[in-house]
Every structure is written in C-alpha cells, then in structure tokens.
Amino acid sequence: MNITSSDLAQAVGTAAQVRPGARMAPLELAVVLPTYNERKNVATMIERLGKALEGISWEVIFVDDNSPDGTSEEARRLSQVDPRVRCIQRIGRRGLASAAIEGMCATAAPIVAVMDADHQHDPALLPGMLQAVSSGEYDLAYASRFAEGASTEAWGRPDRVKVSGLANRIANKVTGVELTDPMSGFFMLRTETLRADAHRLSGVGFKILLDILATVDRPLKVKEFPLNFAARAEGESKLDQTVVFEFLVGLYDKWLGRIIPTRFALFGTVGALGVLVQLGALWIMLHLVFSERFVYGNWSESATFNVANTLAAVVAMTFNFVLNNELTYSDKRLRGFGPLMRGWAQFGVTCSLGLLTNVGAAAVLKTIGLHDVVAVVTGIILGSVWNFALSSKFVWGKY
Ligand SMILES: Nc1nc2c(ncn2[C@@H]2O[C@H](COP(=O)(O)OP(=O)(O)O)[C@@H](O)[C@H]2O)c(=O)[nH]1
Ligand SMILES: [Mg+2]
C-alpha cells in the first residue's frame, strides 16, 4: 500500500500542518544545524531549506545543547508534523564542533551538510554543493566567505573579518590546509568519509571543517562556493567572546593534543597561573597581613608561614575553580549561584587531598631547609595531579 502525505495527514488529523514534499524517496541529504538559543530561527530555517531543496529528498537535524530558550521543543513541535525534521537534544554538554560531529553521525543520508542555524549561511548554495559531491567529482564542498565573488559586507562585523583573516593564515601554516576560508562553518561531504575518521576528530574548539581537513589522511578534493555571508537573523552570537580562545585551543589540540591531552594542558595552565596567585597571596600575607606590626608577630616563623601558605592556597584554589569553570570545562560549565557554590565546595573537598599534599609537602621541604619558593612550587605540582584526577570526575564529570 502506498501511503501519501494526505493519508498521513488524515491519520494524525492535522492535514493543514503536514508539509508538502515530506519524504517519499530514499534520503539523499542531511543538513545538520548545531543550535544554542536559536528558537526563533528554527521554523524559518526549515522553510528556507524546503524551498532551496525542492526535488531533493532531505532531512534536517537540529543538534541542540539543551538551550534555555526552548530550541529543542520548537524543533520537536515542527518535527511532529514534518518527518524531515529531527532533533538531538544533548544534556549537560556544550560545543559547536562536537554537536556537528554527533549530528553528522546520526543520519542515514549518504551526504551530509553542516550549517549555522542563524541564517548567516545561504541554503541556496546547497543544491550546487550536493551536485559537486554526489557526482563524485569532489569529496567536499564548502562555502567560503573570502573566495572571489564572496562578501562579508552584510555581516557588518569588520572586527570578526580581521580575526578570521589572521586565524586563516595561522591555520594554513599549522595544518597545511590551503583554503580561502578554512574556518567556514558551512560545508558538505559524504557521510562515509566523515564516519571513517570521526573517532580521530578532536571535537573541541576547532572549527570542524579545518579539523576534518587536517585529520583525514588522504587529501580531499575540495570545491569552493563563494558565500555572501549574511548578518545573523535572530538571537546573538555565541562565539563572539570565545572565538580567539576556541581557535587557540583547537590549534593546540591538533598540534600537541596527542602528547599532552588538551584538557590536562588547560588545567595545567590554569594551575600555573594559580601558582602565581598563590605566591602573590603568600607574599601579601607574609609582608602585609602577618607582618611584625600585627598581633601575629609573636608566632614562630614556621607557624606564620604555614598559616599564610594555607590561606594563599585557598585563594589560589578559588581562582583555579573560576578559571577552570570558564575555560577548561566550558563545555560543562556550572552556572547560577547554587551550582557554582556547590561546585566550589566540591572542588574544595576533592582538592583537599591535593591541598594537604600541597601544604604538607611545602612544610616538610621548608623544615629540611629548602627555599620558600621551591617548597611551595613542589607542593603545588604534587597537589595539582590530585586536583585534576578528582575534580574532572567529581566536580565537572557528572555526565
Ligand atoms: N549545539 C551547539 N551549537 C552551538 C554552540 N555554540 C554555537 N552553536 C551554534 O553554532 C552556530 C554558529 O554559532 P554563532 O554563535 O552564530 O557563531 P558565529 O557565527 O561565529 O558568531 C549557530 O547555529 C549556533 O547556535 C554550542 O555550544 N552547542
Ligand atoms: Mg552565526
């Protein structure tokens, strides 16, 4: 029996809502749209995709990181009456690159595209890109903001154009990938190409296209499509604040990530900054707070040192918690007063072993006559190994 869209409509009693052209032929193309707070763009994107992809059998997959604005609910609402619409709602996760990878791995379509959901990418390029990839002539098609015939004028962000230009040059040098816009978030390839190397993609920070090009061993034949990069339709950019940081993290991950894992390197860097904070706090306490002019002047020198160093370590611990929450674990960031206080307390508890090691080792080393700085730094190194192991599991590791 052939089921038509009007049969479907009758069955669910929503004739008016079933979109014409719902899939009756084998799936040709999946469009993955990573989303975070894009509720207002969901329906209009589906509409534009429908127009651009007429005559093509396609589906769209929203990969939403549990956006507080209800993007997932909106996608599911439309999905109920349009089988071309799917939604992956990720809980306790953040990250554009990993969302794109999960979306691309979740389709049965032989070819997959990734686009921004905010209307900055023109869906009208999709049929041409599909033609280039499905004909077998090219392995990958992508839309470039900087190719001949492209423009970024409508974007209205000359500052971001400059950052992108610089990032492109660095990326070209480090990865050897020569494209006019390797940071583009709009591209298409065969899903089997992606799947073959999905486990080797870094999925952090990096723009996913560059990640793919730098990861796949054999060179991919790439076709460039000039893009008129538009201004965002609704909502606001999530990458404005972090675009430089994400870029550097991605670059590190591709470059040295296999030797020292990126997260550990970030944790270590934050820890190193914490060392400076602890030394600074210790200096302030020894010279200003616990100085002879104050009531503690009659404490023994080593007692004063241990009390001051313990307090300095607590200051550094708080500093590390804030920075790790913002940077190292930005994909699992704790938000709001309650979760932050709980996280800080948990960080304190899980680090208390580290803190004991830290302060204890410093005290022992000091009594055997080592210099204050050597004693403190050795304590910090020993303590931070504990801190990383425990906090990544108990403070940010719930998921
Ligand atoms: N799933 C998911 N999507 C994201 C995340 N950050 C950004 N996006 C989406 O990725 C696309 C590009 O992000 P956008 O903020 O517009 O970056 P910009 O275009 O570089 O300013 C948009 O569709 C965003 O909703 C994230 O952490 N998770
Ligand atoms: Mg955007």
Side-chain angles (χ1 to χ4, degrees):
M1 186 179 77
N2 280 338
I3 299 176
T4 64
S5 56
S6 71
D7 291 334
L8 256 178
Q10 265 185 342
V12 291
T14 51
Q17 284 164 294
V18 171
R19 287 164 193 263
R23 189 160 68 245
M24 296 287 154
L27 195 54
E28 287 169 80
L29 173 71
V31 180
V32 172
L33 303 179
T35 54
Y36 193 76
N37 286 346
E38 304 284 4
R39 190 175 57 81
K40 286 186 177 159
N41 290 320
V42 169
T44 44
M45 274 307 293
I46 297 170
E47 214 158 283
R48 284 183 76 191
L49 286 172
K51 283 200 185 111
L53 295 172
E54 241 184 272
I56 294 166
S57 175
W58 58 276
E59 69 175 358
V60 59
I61 303 175
F62 291 91
V63 187
D64 184 59
D65 287 350
N66 204 24
S67 303
D69 78 343
T71 305
S72 297
E73 280 95 75
E74 174 71 351
R76 279 194 297 271
R77 185 180 73 79
L78 295 161
S79 177
Q80 281 220 309
V81 289
D82 188 340
R84 298 171 305 184
V85 179
R86 295 175 53 200
C87 175
I88 297 174
Q89 180 176 6
R90 307 199 304 170
I91 311 292
R93 306 269 303 280
R94 272 304 297 275
L96 174 52
S98 64
I101 295 169
E102 277 182 45
M104 287 189 281
C105 288
T107 183
I111 295 177
V112 64
V114 176
M115 289 174 74
D116 284 8
D118 58 2
H119 294 277
Q120 291 193 284
H121 296 149
D122 187 357
L125 294 184
L126 287 168
M129 293 163 84
L130 183 61
Q131 170 60 27
V133 176
S134 64
S135 68
E137 204 179 333
Y138 294 94
D139 298 308
L140 189 145
Y142 89 104
S144 166
R145 295 166 293 179
F146 306 111
E148 196 143 325
S151 89
T152 52
E153 237 147 71
W155 190 10
R157 293 298 304 272
D159 53 329
R160 287 282 301 268
V161 173
K162 271 205 193 104
V163 171
S164 296
L166 181 67
N168 284 355
R169 280 197 294 281
I170 299 174
N172 283 345
K173 282 239 157 56
V174 172
T175 62
V177 174
E178 295 262 346
L179 301 180
T180 59
D181 190 7
M183 320 298 274
S184 170
F186 185 7
F187 60 90
M188 185 187 291
L189 77 170
R190 270 182 291 283
T191 27
E192 61 181 16
T193 313
L194 188 275
R195 276 207 196 89
D197 282 296
H199 60 286
R200 291 170 59 209
L201 296 173
S202 78
V204 290
F206 229 49
K207 287 294 186 149
I208 177 73
L209 172 61
L210 192 49
D211 195 1
I212 292 171
L213 291 169
T215 300
V216 173
D217 291 326
R218 79 193 157 89
L220 297 181
K221 273 182 286 167
V222 177
K223 175 138 170 97
E224 206 161 74
F225 287 79
L227 170 69
N228 292 323
F229 198 57
R232 161 180 272 283
E234 300 280 348
E236 52 194 46
S237 167
K238 264 64 67 178
L239 299 184
D240 264 352
Q241 316 301 326
T242 55
V243 74
V244 174
F245 174 72
E246 298 256 326
F247 174 73
L248 293 176
V249 168
L251 217 53
Y252 172 90
D253 193 74
K254 267 282 153 267
W255 197 22
L256 291 174
R258 260 167 234 160
I259 302 169
I260 303 174
T262 304
R263 216 189 278 278
F264 186 75
L266 275 170
F267 195 86
T269 307
V270 169
L273 292 176
V275 172
L276 298 180
V277 170
Q278 182 168 347
L279 289 176
L282 180 60
W283 187 91
I284 289 171
M285 281 184 234
L286 286 179
H287 289 83
L288 302 177
V289 181
F290 294 102
S291 73
E292 279 156 31
R293 279 171 281 135
F294 287 85
V295 60
Y296 309 103
N298 56 358
W299 284 13
S300 76
E301 197 198 326
S302 69
T304 309
F305 175 83
N306 288 341
V307 170
N309 194 28
T310 305
L311 290 175
V314 172
V315 171
M317 188 274 283
T318 305
F319 169 86
N320 283 5
F321 170 72
V322 172
L323 235 59
N324 278 323
N325 191 49
E326 289 301 311
L327 304 178
T328 316
Y329 296 98
S330 63
D331 55 336
K332 300 170 181 175
R333 190 177 295 157
L334 304 170
R335 282 211 179 281
F337 186 75
L340 273 174
M341 288 317 287
R342 210 169 26 249
W344 180 83
Q346 282 169 333
F347 191 67
V349 172
T350 56
C351 288
S352 60
L353 267 181
L355 199 62
L356 275 180
T357 316
N358 180 337
V359 176
V364 169
L365 293 174
K366 181 158 171 65
T367 51
I368 62 169
L370 284 182
H371 188 274
D372 285 5
V373 175
V374 178
V376 172
V377 170
T378 311
I380 289 165
I381 291 171
L382 290 177
S384 54
V385 174
W386 279 105
N387 290 354
F388 181 70
L390 296 179
S391 68
S392 62
K393 183 153 176 60
F394 295 111
V395 183
W396 290 282
K398 287 199 199 79
Y399 299 97

